Amino acid sequence: MHLNMPSNDAACLAIIIAAACDVGVNKRKRKQRVWMKEWLKKRSLFSHANLLKELQVSSPLDYKNYLRMNSTTFGELLALVTPYIQKKDTILREAISPKQRLFATLRYFASGLTFEGLKFETAIAAQTLGHIIIETCEAIIKVLKKYLKLPQSENEWRNEAEAFARKWNFPHCLGAIDGKHVKIFKPPGTGSYYFNYKHSFSIVLMGIVNANYEFLMVDVGANGRVSDGGVFSNTAFCKKLVEKDLCIPEPENLTSTNIKLPYVFVGDDAFPLMENLMKPFSKKTLSNEEMIYNYRVSRSRRIIENAFGILASRFRILLNEINLCPEKAVIIVLTCCHLHNFLRHYKVESYYQGGIDVENINSGEVANADWRADPTLLQLQALRGRNTTTVAKQIRAQFCNYFNTVGAVPWQNKIFQQ
Ligand SMILES: *[C@@H]1O[C@H](CO)[C@@H](O)[C@H](O)[C@H]1NC(C)=O
Ligand SMILES: *[C@@H]1O[C@H](CO)[C@@H](O)[C@H](O)[C@H]1NC(C)=O
């Protein structure tokens, strides 16, 4: 554990204390701190486990609202993580069960409560929560790894592209990419290293999603000061993309055309234009064709914005300043992304209802998702940066041409008649 971390941060301190206790450095102190309060001794009486038992039977919807998953999915997740978070009872105390640990962790994500606040729902002392939540997160990431990974073969990539073409009318699109800031409290002793351009402290969550709002890749942790493009260039993913080390198929003819184009990701203006990364035209005056292209790109890009929207409206911890040191905050964000994919995979219905923009395909009009109306969500701020090469520009021009000819969709022109 991070015993050498600066000690004036309350949360980190709590974790350090908990960690220290666990390795036996400070057993006496833990006994006092954790068992001091009488009501905490009566956890079975006062924790939300009783409430959840009742909700499971009489109000499954409230259960899901409380933990962001139904009891069946919870059971599956619990079975997966239990081997990693099970503790033995000691003579002094009964261990906190894996179920309690998972309840606490999921509730922490869903509620956005601090450990102090969560104490009253879980009947677990705040510093103990700090310890077990991180531990449970690490277990969740471990067991859900297979739900969040890049396609491993050309055909797997082609399948992603087919889904994109079918759902969002963007052929050869492998995924949409974007980055968001997640605010954290100023980490002690870091000066302005994590200070972002909007004058708050943050870490960056960069993600790529497929046509089904599932993350294919997430990269969390660059400090908030770096621009989006800058962060992207530093990712292992960007390196692999440039070195063609991702098993992405070579350029191919678009289905039933003679137009040969590479497979690409789509991003916003913050990203560099690359052979395998398309972004909108950003100049001031655009031709009609370029506006159509931009519309078609933004339509595909909306998937990642919506994925972030779903993520933050489900796991409200991401809306607040996370009161943890950056290393812990990174684990929290990563865990949210893994849970997101897990829930998408099990199609936990209503999980995304209201969380995504709804498009009227006849008019091209977009009804904004609930989360866009929620001002607190704007705390996940957008980012900036840029780059361009000649070849990439030619590819963009070809896509632009395609969208204005054989690849046109009937409603795209209406966009400009309003
Ligand atoms: C952006 O361009 C600079 C030089 O203009 C180059 O060094 C850098 O690698 C480029 N970044 C990406 C992501 O291509
Ligand atoms: C792809 O298109 C080119 C023309 O641009 C054509 O000559 C070639 O036969 C096509 N390839 C396939 C595999 O259809």
Side-chain angles (χ1 to χ4, degrees), residues 31-280:
K31 200 181 155 209
Q32 281 174 358
R33 291 184 78 108
V34 178
W35 296 109
M36 201 167 41
K37 297 194 173 110
E38 280 304 311
W39 72 275
L40 290 176
K41 288 184 189 168
K42 303 174 189 162
R43 180 173 308 125
S44 61
L45 200 57
F46 296 124
S47 96
H48 56 179
N50 297 319
L51 172 66
L52 280 159
K53 221 179 276 171
E54 172 62 25
L55 295 182
Q56 184 180 348
V57 177
S58 69
S59 186
L61 259 178
D62 283 336
Y63 183 103
K64 186 151 75 183
N65 209 359
Y66 192 82
L67 290 184
R68 305 302 195 222
M69 61 182 68
N70 59 34
S71 59
T72 313
T73 316
F74 177 86
E76 284 169 27
L77 185 59
L78 180 62
L80 291 172
V81 295
T82 292
Y84 298 98
I85 57 175
Q86 186 125 47
K87 306 287 162 178
K88 288 208 171 69
D89 294 343
T90 67
I91 299 167
L92 287 177
R93 63 191 174 103
E94 209 177 310
I96 300 172
S97 71
K99 193 176 194 175
Q100 304 246 31
R101 288 164 187 261
L102 190 56
F103 276 159
T105 305
L106 294 176
R107 187 56 190 157
Y108 177 65
F109 289 163
S111 66
L113 285 168
T114 60
F115 296 151
E116 272 302 326
L118 195 61
K119 179 176 78 179
F120 297 106
E121 293 192 0
T122 57
I124 298 171
Q127 65 263 44
T128 311
L129 282 171
H131 184 54
I132 68 178
I133 285 175
I134 294 297
E135 205 174 68
T136 307
C137 284
E138 285 168 341
I140 291 173
I141 292 172
K142 199 175 291 176
V143 300
L144 298 186
K145 237 184 184 73
K146 65 171 176 176
Y147 294 99
L148 202 169
K149 60 176 175 38
L150 286 166
Q152 301 294 307
S153 69
E154 292 195 1
N155 273 340
E156 281 183 41
W157 280 115
R158 283 194 188 93
N159 289 341
E160 299 293 357
E162 268 162 35
F164 243 104
R166 198 171 55 242
K167 286 187 165 175
W168 307 106
N169 311 90
F170 200 122
H172 282 200
C173 181
L174 301 170
I177 183 167
D178 201 3
K180 292 288 177 208
H181 287 286
V182 179
K183 285 192 182 180
I184 52 173
F185 278 173
K186 180 180 178 297
T190 53
S192 56
Y193 186 66
Y194 289 91
F195 200 64
N196 72 27
Y197 70 96
K198 290 256 173 74
H199 309 296
S200 56
F201 290 86
S202 65
I203 52 176
V204 173
L205 160 62
M206 177 151 317
I208 298 178
V209 289
N210 67 12
N212 193 33
Y213 305 98
E214 292 162 329
F215 288 104
L216 295 178
M217 192 261 343
V218 289
D219 190 290
V220 194
N223 69 70
R225 228 176 131 170
V226 192
S227 75
D228 220 358
V231 175
F232 178 68
S233 314
N234 292 336
T235 57
F237 175 83
C238 178
K239 208 176 232 167
K240 285 184 173 178
L241 185 62
V242 171
E243 289 166 4
K244 301 204 185 298
D245 195 19
L246 289 169
C247 291
I248 293 172
E250 285 299 303
E252 291 171 351
N253 289 356
L254 300 183
T255 311
S256 59
T257 73
N258 286 336
I259 306 168
K260 189 174 174 181
L261 278 170
Y263 285 85
V264 298
F265 297 92
V266 290
D268 69 8
D269 207 35
F271 288 88
L273 186 68
M274 295 163 60
E275 285 178 51
N276 295 105
L277 178 50
M278 291 292 111
K279 63 179 216 171

Side-chain angles (χ1 to χ4, degrees), residues 321-382:
E321 286 183 351
I322 300 180
N323 190 6
L324 289 173
C325 29
E327 292 78 4
K328 313 272 179 212
V330 165
I331 292 172
I332 298 293
V333 176
L334 272 178
T335 309
C336 289
C337 296
H338 282 78
L339 283 171
H340 169 95
N341 272 19
F342 177 67
L343 294 178
R344 295 291 309 162
H345 183 82
Y346 281 93
K347 300 202 168 35
V348 178
E349 294 301 336
S350 85
Y351 167 58
Y352 53 87
Q353 273 174 17
I356 56 176
D357 296 334
V358 179
E359 183 184 56
N360 178 341
I361 203 101
N362 294 317
S363 66
E365 276 169 41
V366 174
N368 282 350
D370 295 351
W371 66 272
R372 285 178 190 273
D374 181 348
T376 53
L377 271 152
L378 299 177
Q379 288 177 3
L380 288 170
Q381 303 137 355

